[in-house]
Amino acid sequence: MPKVIVNDREIEVANGTSALDALFHAGFDVPYFCSNEYLSPVGACRMCLVEAGSPRKNPDGSWMMDDATGQPKLFFFPGTVASCTLAISEGMVIKTTSAPAVKAQAGMMEFTLINHPLDCPTCDKGGACELQDRAYEYGYGEARFEFTRRHADKHHALSDFIVLDKERCIHCKRCVRYFEEIPGEEKLDFIERGGHTYIDSMESEDLAGRNLGNFSGNIGDICPVGALLDNVARFRGRNWEYDCTQTTAMNNADGASIWVDARTGRIERIRAGSNSSVNEIWINDATRYGHEWVDADSRLKTPLVRKNGKLEPASWDEAVAAIKAGLISTDKTKLGVYSSADITLEEGVALEKFAAALGTINVDHFPRLNAALSSVNRPTLDELARADAVIVIGADLYEESGTTYLRIEEMLKGVVSDLKYNHGTALADLRLKERMDRKRNKLAVFAPIRVKQMEHAGISEVYAIGGELELLKQLLASKSNSNFETTPAISSAAKLLAGAKNAVIVLGSFALASDAASVLAAAAKLGAKILPIPAAANGAGLEFLNLTPGQNGRTYGQFEGLKTAFISGYAADRPKDLEFLVVHTTQLVGAALKADVVLPQASNYEKRGTTVNLEGRFLPVQQAAVNGGESMDLIGAISALADALDVKLEIRGTRSAGRELNTRFGLDFENIPLEGVFPSKKPTAKAAATLRFGGGDVLLTPRMWQEKMLIGSARVRESIGLDNLMLSSTDASKFGVKDGEKLEVNVNGQDRTVIARVFNTASVPSLPALEGDVVGSSAVLKVAMAASGDD
């Protein structure tokens, strides 16, 4: 490796390293604004100026020597240079503290501050602002310019979630590069030149209300000043007032690292955490902005007991007494015990032990798949990003797994930011370029509807609903026999697989909804690693526990013959014939409205425990400083049930659950690192009981925004609007509706208000799934009324 001297300190760094990373690796510092991990270095801010020089070689390959010193002669650049775009070379000398370098840095800082407003006391970035810190460290400390500063629009809404203050923008271009380089969506650009430059879109002067995509909030995290702000958290508190907790997001199976910032017991904002092996430094907008339901007025924070036909607030002692009275004559072995699949492993093992203590075989979690995901050879997300061929089948990753979507976009660029230094990930990876070509021919996408990632795929095709097995069979046949007659897209995908050394097949909700075992088995024959997307946040972890029905047991949603049940999480409606129902939930909706006792459920921001993401990586869930009232996690709710039923429970807390899990997985569940870990003992998944899905005429599609996020946030409801019922012109005629009409529909017994969107292309009718629906399955649709279309 080349040797470089930084301020008289010699270091060795890899070829291709930027001077910026070399000097940070050596333990020195320079100011910078435009550089950022995972973005291309562009030298836009001119702050990281240094003196730099290198020796040169003679035509015969020998070094040019300095006669006075007898050492290779150094040739310095005539002026200071931006270190972020300068590649190191053997023998290079970098000076960050010399008089010319110090003067250049201070001069650029002064230039940057000429027109910057002096509103630090009212700026949400105050206390966490890179410009503030760098001005203090590297600025002159006084202003020499007395003219009136430039004025521009303040509080300019880019969307319902992002506000731009044009006066504060220092034109570092991070946000512009982010949209083009990370999600691959060109949303913003520089408009005008010089002192008139501003960020916007050429399409519109005002982006308010426009869709900036599913990953727009990340520009607020990477903005070095207070120009781009989280509109949900604006003016909610000062940076030093927040209780900040790094944890793992539990709204899908990505396992993304997040920071939960709370103040006075309330979640004020969520920021992306750093986990280079999983989400890097990016999260989707639902993860970031979908937290308002936790503190909404509709959030349940106290038990409810039905008295005289009406649910009334009660204490936990009263709730336990009501449960005891309601279950006093119950056969414990016939009690149904059900949970959502976004619980922690600790909660899951407690539920397993509780069901065993009761002797019931009616235990299940939902949503889940009909097969064990650990039965296949799964890649890590880093391996996905390094793959030379990716085939996505039956997935809308833009909605159901944002991290997987972004890592595939990284794969298309052909550069994984894996250069590691003493300061962490490279700040200026010179392999990354603005508008670099994406290797679209490495990606094939197949789905029953048009999905976002098809826009970036070299091969794509819309297949008939339920056609995943046939597609996989044709891929295998075409891979084995190039003369096999099939569609051009399948033939091209087969050739891509045949020529790949590190291929990955991604299977999503459409592919896995009904017969996951058969689909996984067929995919395994193709010889590639397989990344199935779990149906819920901890679906990949809960399959290792005994949480599916025993012989002739009832699955979640199938309650025939049961008289009593306990449901933790969301259920669409009270099952028929139940004599007594206890619901443990966060919102008084669905089955909770008809329950006999409702127990307040702690949100996943209020828990400690462990989750397993789609790679099989074990990740910690930390408890944030959130006031959940009298809410309890599932272990607490189970303990209340055990007390009511006089059942001895082995596990009554997270620590005792962790000790049980320690023996099963060979991990220290008290000290799982934030970046996650794979278990030393390869866990064995339990056999998955079959779920029964009804047929229908509308495909239920994944949605990034969960139903509880819409219920608990007027901002999210207004931004997302009504769901779109996607119809072909043929199906629109069948149902007698027109494009843009507001419809009252009934889907599997649930009433919904939607907007009809009619397309001329042939496609299956589709509608976003709600909690309690099986994403990827079909449902019965009844159009009850077609209104005028006015909102």
Side-chain angles (χ1 to χ4, degrees):
M1 292 195 297
K3 292 182 178 180
V4 178
I5 298 174
V6 183
N7 296 337
D8 299 325
R9 183 178 298 170
E10 186 177 86
I11 59 169
E12 289 187 358
V13 287
N15 280 313
T17 296
S18 67
L20 180 69
D21 284 307
L23 66 90
F24 271 96
H25 182 68
F28 295 98
D29 182 68
V30 291
Y32 67 89
F33 295 126
C34 63
S35 288
N36 188 259
E37 306 104 313
Y38 311 108
L39 297 183
S40 61
V42 292
C45 70
R46 315 307 296 175
M47 280 303 309
C48 60
L49 297 174
V50 298
E51 277 195 292
S54 296
R56 296 178 185 173
K57 290 186 177 181
N58 293 304
D60 63 359
S62 62
W63 292 110
M64 293 184 181
M65 304 302 289
D66 188 331
D67 294 336
T69 63
Q71 298 295 320
K73 185 176 181 180
L74 292 173
F75 293 84
F76 279 85
F77 286 92
T80 53
V81 295
S83 58
C84 64
T85 55
L86 176 65
I88 60 95
S89 60
E90 178 65 42
M92 177 177 278
V93 172
I94 302 169
K95 298 180 180 179
T96 69
T97 57
S98 65
V102 170
K103 182 178 180 181
Q105 294 160 9
M108 278 308 305
M109 180 60 68
E110 184 179 33
F111 184 74
T112 301
L113 292 172
I114 286 176
N115 282 305
H116 200 80
L118 300 176
D119 56 1
C120 297
T122 60
C123 178
D124 266 27
K125 203 80 169 186
C129 175
E130 294 178 42
L131 182 60
Q132 266 187 336
D133 294 341
R134 295 309 196 175
Y136 178 80
E137 294 168 332
Y138 292 93
Y140 283 127
E142 59 182 346
R144 295 184 292 171
F145 299 92
E146 297 181 358
F147 53 76
T148 302
R149 295 169 185 263
R150 178 194 64 199
H151 293 289
D153 288 348
K154 299 183 80 67
H155 319 305
H156 176 72
L158 289 182
S159 72
D160 291 328
F161 302 107
I162 294 288
V163 172
L164 168 65
D165 190 316
K166 292 183 179 180
E167 284 187 349
R168 297 174 185 163
C169 178
I170 61 172
H171 307 150
C172 68
K173 211 179 181 183
R174 284 187 187 180
C175 57
V176 174
R177 285 178 289 147
Y178 161 76
F179 275 119
E180 191 277 324
E181 296 176 12
I182 304 303
E185 304 169 319
E186 297 195 29
K187 299 289 187 179
L188 301 175
D189 207 345
F190 282 161
I191 314 297
E192 300 296 345
R193 300 187 68 179
H196 302 287
T197 303
Y198 64 94
I199 291 170
D200 215 321
S201 167
M202 288 293 291
E203 298 177 2
S204 171
E205 285 293 318
D206 183 7
L207 292 182
R210 285 172 56 92
N211 178 18
L212 290 184
N214 284 1
F215 306 99
S216 65
N218 292 310
I219 60 177
D221 279 351
I222 63 175
C223 181
V225 294
L228 293 165
L229 294 174
D230 178 343
N231 197 29
V232 177
R234 267 206 323 158
F235 309 134
R236 299 296 307 176
R238 311 301 295 175
N239 282 287
W240 54 86
E241 295 175 327
Y242 292 129
D243 290 308
C244 303
T245 305
Q246 189 170 5
T247 182
T248 303
M250 291 282 283
N251 54 304
N252 61 25
D254 291 350
S257 177
I258 58 173
W259 283 97
V260 180
D261 295 345
R263 180 171 179 261
T264 62
R266 171 191 170 94
I267 298 177
E268 300 296 357
R269 67 181 180 188
I270 288 179
R271 298 172 290 130
S274 177
N275 188 339
S276 60
S277 298
V278 183
N279 62 305
E280 296 179 334
I281 55 172
W282 318 117
I283 56 176
N284 66 30
D285 283 356
T287 302
R288 183 182 302 276
Y289 303 121
H291 61 80
E292 289 185 292
W293 66 271
V294 177
D295 301 297
D297 292 338
S298 60
R299 169 78 189 277
L300 285 176
K301 292 188 176 181
T302 187
L304 303 176
V305 173
R306 189 169 296 279
K307 299 176 182 178
N308 300 319
K310 186 179 179 180
L311 286 172
E312 300 284 355
S315 67
W316 271 90
D317 287 341
E318 290 175 312
V320 170
I323 294 171
K324 187 168 187 174
L327 299 178
I328 194 167
S329 59
T330 297
D331 182 350
K332 297 173 186 176
T333 63
K334 299 291 181 63
L335 178 67
V337 181
Y338 304 101
S339 170
S340 60
D342 62 350
I343 58 175
T344 64
L345 276 179
E346 286 79 358
E347 290 176 300
V349 76
L351 184 66
E352 171 197 298
K353 292 292 187 180
F354 177 60
L358 292 174
T360 181
I361 58 174
N362 302 306
V363 57
D364 203 359
H365 60 289
F366 185 86
R368 64 172 174 82
L369 301 173
N370 288 331
L373 306 184
S374 58
S375 63
V376 296
N377 183 17
R378 285 182 292 189
T380 65
L381 287 166
D382 276 341
E383 289 173 332
L384 173 68
R386 291 183 175 87
D388 53 3
V390 173
I391 314 293
V392 180
I393 299 176
D396 185 357
L397 297 176
Y398 197 68
E399 297 289 337
E400 61 185 290
S401 180
T403 295
T404 305
Y405 181 93
L406 294 182
R407 296 310 294 267
I408 290 176
E409 292 297 310
E410 187 177 19
M411 179 274 300
L412 294 178
K413 291 188 294 185
V415 176
V416 178
S417 297
D418 54 358
L419 297 174
K420 303 298 182 184
Y421 302 98
N422 291 337
H423 56 281
T425 304
L427 296 171
D429 191 336
L430 296 174
R431 298 172 299 171
L432 295 170
K433 309 294 181 184
E434 280 194 283
R435 299 183 179 277
M436 65 191 302
D437 290 335
R438 283 175 162 80
K439 300 175 177 63
R440 293 163 51 93
N441 61 326
K442 292 167 58 179
L443 175 63
V445 179
F446 300 89
I449 58 173
R450 297 293 305 177
V451 297
K452 181 73 173 178
Q453 205 145 38
M454 286 180 175
E455 297 174 7
H456 303 159
I459 306 165
S460 65
E461 182 176 276
V462 176
Y463 59 79
I465 183 172
E468 295 83 16
L469 270 176
E470 180 60 28
L471 189 153
L472 286 165
K473 290 177 182 177
Q474 291 192 33
L475 266 177
L476 179 61
S478 184
K479 181 185 175 185
S480 304
N481 178 11
S482 59
N483 295 321
F484 179 79
E485 291 189 10
T486 184
T487 66
I490 293 177
S491 177
S492 297
K495 291 178 182 177
L496 178 61
L497 274 176
K501 295 181 179 179
N502 301 299
V504 174
I505 297 173
V506 180
L507 299 174
S509 57
F510 301 126
L512 300 171
S514 56
D515 191 0
S518 298
V519 169
L520 290 171
K525 295 178 181 179
L526 290 167
K529 288 192 173 183
I530 301 169
L531 184 64
I533 308 299
N538 200 14
L542 298 182
E543 69 177 32
F544 301 129
L545 307 178
N546 291 311
L547 291 179
T548 52
Q551 186 71 27
N552 299 320
R554 276 73 169 174
T555 62
Y556 190 106
Q558 304 291 331
F559 299 101
E560 313 91 54
L562 292 182
K563 298 300 181 182
T564 54
F566 166 75
I567 300 174
S568 180
Y570 176 86
D573 200 358
R574 178 175 177 139
K576 296 180 180 179
D577 302 325
L578 279 186
E579 297 176 356
F580 195 82
L581 173 64
V582 180
V583 174
H584 178 227
T585 187
T586 60
Q587 305 281 339
L588 195 61
V589 294
L593 289 168
K594 300 178 181 179
D596 298 287
V597 176
V598 181
L599 303 178
Q601 182 183 28
S603 72
N604 282 319
Y605 305 108
E606 301 156 27
K607 298 178 183 177
R608 288 178 59 252
T610 311
T611 186
V612 181
N613 79 341
L614 47 78
E615 309 166 282
R617 185 188 302 267
F618 285 58
L619 291 154
V621 176
Q622 302 291 350
Q623 185 177 16
V626 181
N627 180 10
E630 297 181 40
S631 302
M632 289 275 195
D633 63 5
L634 182 55
I635 299 178
I638 289 172
S639 296
L641 255 71
D643 291 341
L645 293 168
D646 294 324
V647 172
K648 184 179 180 181
L649 196 60
E650 294 181 37
I651 295 174
R652 285 186 174 267
T654 304
R655 287 189 176 181
S656 56
R659 287 193 293 270
E660 170 67 25
L661 294 169
N662 288 344
T663 60
R664 299 193 189 188
F665 298 103
L667 291 176
D668 180 1
F669 276 77
E670 285 288 317
N671 297 292
I672 292 179
L674 288 169
E675 63 272 16
V677 65
F678 292 96
S680 57
K681 293 181 181 178
K682 187 174 181 180
T684 302
K686 308 302 178 184
T690 300
L691 287 171
R692 289 165 281 178
F693 307 127
D697 44 21
V698 60
L699 180 67
L700 298 177
T701 62
R703 178 171 57 183
M704 176 183 69
W705 296 98
Q706 296 177 355
E707 187 180 3
K708 62 188 174 188
M709 298 175 182
L710 276 70
I711 293 173
S713 172
R715 189 194 317 272
V716 172
R717 288 197 304 273
E718 291 169 5
S719 176
I720 304 305
L722 294 175
D723 291 330
N724 290 328
L725 174 61
M726 313 298 281
L727 298 166
S728 66
S729 54
T730 302
D731 287 317
S733 299
K734 169 186 172 182
F735 290 111
V737 300
K738 298 178 181 178
D739 183 62
E741 274 193 309
K742 181 192 289 186
L743 306 177
E744 298 295 330
V745 300
N746 186 281
V747 184
N748 284 357
Q750 297 186 69
D751 292 325
R752 299 175 63 177
T753 303
V754 300
I755 298 292
R757 299 299 180 195
V758 180
F759 298 88
N760 292 326
T761 55
S763 63
V764 62
S766 63
L767 188 65
L770 299 181
E771 287 187 73
D773 291 331
V774 180
V775 175
S777 67
S778 58
V780 176
L781 171 69
K782 294 180 181 179
V783 180
M785 178 187 73
S788 64
D790 297 331
D791 290 340

